[in-house]
Amino acid sequence: MSALARFQDDFADALYDERAFAPVDQAAFAIYRNTAMRACLDALEANYPAVVCLVGRDWFRAAAALHASQSPPRDGRLFTYGDDFPDFIGTFPPASDMPYLGDVARLDRLWVESLVAADASVLDAATMTTLGPDGIAALRLRVHPATRTFAAASPAVTIWQASRAGVAVGADLVWQPEYAIVTRGHLEVGVAAVEAPVLRFLEAIAEGVSLADAALSTVAIHPDARIDLILASLLNAGAFAT
Amino acid sequence: MSLSPAAGIGFKPQHFDDVMRCHADGLWLEVHPENYMVDGGPRLAMLDALAERFPLSLHGVSLSLAAAALPDAVHLQRLRRLIDRVQPALVSEHMAWSTWAGRYVPDLLPFPRTHEALAHLVRNVVHTQERLGRRVSLENPSHYLVLDGHDWSETDFLAELVRRSGCGLLLDINNVYVSSHNLGADPVAYLDAFPLRAVTEIHLAGHAADDTDPTLLIDSHDAPIMDAVWSLYRHVVSRGTSLPTLIERDGDVPAFANLLAERGRAQTLLETVGMAA
C-alpha cells in the first residue's frame, strides 16, 4: 500500500473514532472532525425538515450525529444523504413514544426524491378526452418520473403536512393508516393525502397494466372505488407523463 | 460564455429572484456542481435560467483529486453532463481529498506534499481533464494541521502540478491568510511565490476564530471579507493579476444586496488598481 493511501486510511478512521494517529494530538484535528460532522448534520436537517420540526433542532442533531457516525455519507451529493435515516429514526429507542416518526421521515425522503427526479411533460385531462372510451380503457399510462406513492400505518400524512406548514397537529387527529401521492406536476413538489384505492390504482398503472385492468384490480380490493374520480384527481395532480 | 476579469458572487438559491433582476456589469456566478447533479426538476431549471443570463463557474467540492485513487467515474460523468449542459466559463476543484474507501467525508482533507502524492494528483487531474474535455483549476487549501513529511513547499508543489498536468489554479486569498496564520507563515511571501501565471480565478471569503481554540482561524465563509484579506487581494491585483474574482459566502448568508456591495469593492479594485498595474 502506498504511503498516501496509508495516510488516508489513518486520517479517515481518526475522524470517526479515537485512535493513534500523530495529527490527532493537535487541537486542529478537531476542526476536521467538527466540519465533517456539521456538514452531515446540516445535510440530514435539510433532507428531513418535517422530522426536525417534530422533535426540535437540538434533539434532531443529537440523533442525527449517532446516525452519521454509524452511516457516514457515500456520495458527494449530500441531498442524497440519509436514505437509511427513516429506518434509523423509526427504530430509535428514544423516539419510541413517536411511532409515526419513521413514517414522517419516509415522506420527507420521497419529497426529495420527487424534487430531483427526471423531467417529463405532464399528461393532462384534455389529452385524455380526445380518446374514446375504448381507447381510454386500453391505455397504458406512464407514471411521471417524479411521482411517488406513500402508505403508512400511522396518520403520518396529516402529521407531515402540519409540520411542513409549521402548525400544531389538531386535537382531532385520528390514529389510522394514511396514504399520499407525491407529484411534481409543475416544478413544485406536492403531497396530497389520498384514500387507499387511489394508491392501489396508481400502483397497478405503474406495473404497466392497462387502465381497464388497473380499474379491475382496484375494484377487486375496494368495491366502492370511483375510478372516474380517482383518474381525474391523479391527472389533476400531474401523476402521469405523456 | 467567457469571463472578463470581473467580480462574481457565489450563488445561493434564496437569491435567485434578486440575481435575475440584477444588471451589474460583468457579474458572473459560481455554484457547487454537486447540488445540481440531479435528473431534473426545479434546481436544474434554475441553473438553466442562470446560465442563459450569466457566465457560470462550476466549483466542485467532492472529486477528491488528492486521493491515492482515481476520481469516481460516475461522479465525473455527472460533472461532464452538467458542463455540456450549462457551458461554464470556469471549472475548478480543490487540492484536497474527501472520498476514500467508499466513504465521502464532507470536508477538504489535507495530505503530506510528497513526490508520491504529487504523482497521484497529476494522474487524477490529467484523468479528470480528459474525462471532462477541458482544463480544470485547482484551489490552494486552508491549513489547520502541521503535517510531517512534506517534500515540497506548497507553491512549488502547485507550480509542478501545473507543469505536469496542464491544469490551472484557483487562488483563494482567504485560504492563504488563514493557512499562514495557522501555520505561522508569511502570506505575502506565499503570494509572491505563487505561480500566478496559471491562475484563472481568485476567491475571497470571510473567516472566523475557532470556538475551542481561538488562536486558530477557520475558513468559515460565514462573515464579510476581512480587511487583511482585502489588502492581500490588493497586493495581488497591483502586481498585474487582474482575474475573475469571486465573493464566497456559505454561512449566515446576507441579503443579495450586501453581497453585491462586497462584490462592488472587488470590482472597483480590479478596475482601478488592476488597470493601473
Side-chain angles (χ1 to χ4, degrees), chain B residues 97-269:
Chain B
W97 61 280
S98 52
T99 301
W100 184 241
R103 211 155 61 180
Y104 170 61
V105 180
D107 197 1
L108 300 163
L109 302 175
F111 58 94
R113 291 181 302 273
T114 59
H115 302 304
E116 185 212 334
L118 179 59
H120 281 293
L121 189 58
V122 167
R123 184 194 59 166
N124 289 346
V125 170
V126 166
H127 177 80
T128 297
Q129 293 184 139
E130 279 170 8
R131 286 293 185 277
L132 301 182
R134 62 173 296 150
R135 189 183 187 209
V136 297
S137 295
L138 263 70
E139 175 177 333
N140 56 295
S142 284
H143 291 293
Y144 308 107
L145 285 173
V146 177
L147 294 180
D148 294 329
H150 294 302
D151 294 331
W152 301 76
S153 74
E154 187 159 282
T155 46
D156 286 349
F157 189 85
L158 286 165
E160 187 63 10
L161 170 66
V162 167
R163 196 182 68 78
R164 291 200 213 166
S165 72
C167 74
L169 296 176
L170 192 167
L171 172 57
D172 187 312
I173 294 181
N174 184 56
N175 290 359
V176 172
Y177 182 80
V178 164
S179 299
S180 302
H181 173 91
N182 291 340
L183 303 184
D186 173 8
V188 175
Y190 180 99
L191 288 173
D192 289 344
F194 202 86
L196 287 176
R197 265 184 307 188
V199 175
T200 58
E201 177 184 352
I202 292 175
H203 273 183
L204 299 174
H207 56 261
D210 184 37
D211 288 339
T212 45
D213 181 356
T215 64
L216 285 170
L217 294 182
I218 303 200
D219 169 35
S220 52
H221 294 189
D222 62 355
I225 297 153
M226 310 283 171
D227 284 343
V229 173
W230 280 117
S231 92
L232 291 176
Y233 178 57
R234 176 181 277 272
H235 175 77
V236 169
V237 174
S238 67
R239 291 181 59 203
T241 312
S242 276
L243 287 161
T245 300
L246 184 84
I247 308 299
E248 270 190 309
R249 186 71 176 260
D250 295 308
D252 279 337
V253 177
F256 181 68
N258 297 35
L259 293 183
L260 200 60
E262 263 191 312
R263 184 254 175 202
R265 188 169 169 186
Q267 185 73 19
T268 303
L269 265 165

Side-chain angles (χ1 to χ4, degrees), chain A residues 207-238:
Chain A
E207 286 158 17
V209 305
S210 69
L211 276 183
D213 287 343
L216 285 174
S217 85
T218 305
V219 175
I221 304 169
H222 307 282
D224 299 332
R226 286 284 307 276
I227 300 298
D228 54 340
L229 298 182
I230 291 174
L231 181 58
S233 71
L234 287 172
L235 283 166
N236 201 35

